[in-house]
Amino acid sequence: MASASAGQPRPRGADAVRAAARSVLDQAGRSVPALVLDYMALVDPADFTEVPDDHTGEAILAVAGRIGTTRLIDNITLTFGAPQ
């Protein structure tokens, strides 16, 4: 994720999570051996639709890719907004 300039707030919300994840995955794509990304999605666990930037509540960050002939699939549940 790009760092914020002086006086400007850091990005927050789902778009910031997507940008940070994309940055890490892009770096892994430049590694040796490289990760070849199949997909990355930040979705609502109820219906697996992409969440908007202002989403509150739980979301799942799901990622799949390949390193060589090995397919890697992972996900993590994230909570957006104030704790309930």
Side-chain angles (χ1 to χ4, degrees):
M1 182 161 69
S3 62
S5 300
Q8 294 181 351
R10 281 186 181 231
R12 300 180 60 128
D15 288 348
V17 169
R18 278 188 273 268
R22 174 61 67 183
S23 176
V24 170
L25 294 166
D26 287 348
Q27 184 176 0
R30 294 186 298 271
S31 299
V32 177
L35 171 72
V36 177
L37 185 64
D38 289 336
Y39 66 81
M40 179 196 71
L42 185 59
V43 298
D44 185 317
D47 59 12
F48 280 79
T49 58
E50 285 281 338
V51 298
D53 186 45
D54 62 351
H55 178 75
T56 58
E58 289 192 344
I60 296 173
L61 178 63
V63 178
R66 294 182 184 276
I67 296 179
T69 59
T70 303
R71 183 137 194 254
L72 305 168
I73 302 171
D74 205 357
N75 64 75
I76 186 170
T77 300
L78 305 171
T79 302
F80 292 86
Q84 301 200 4

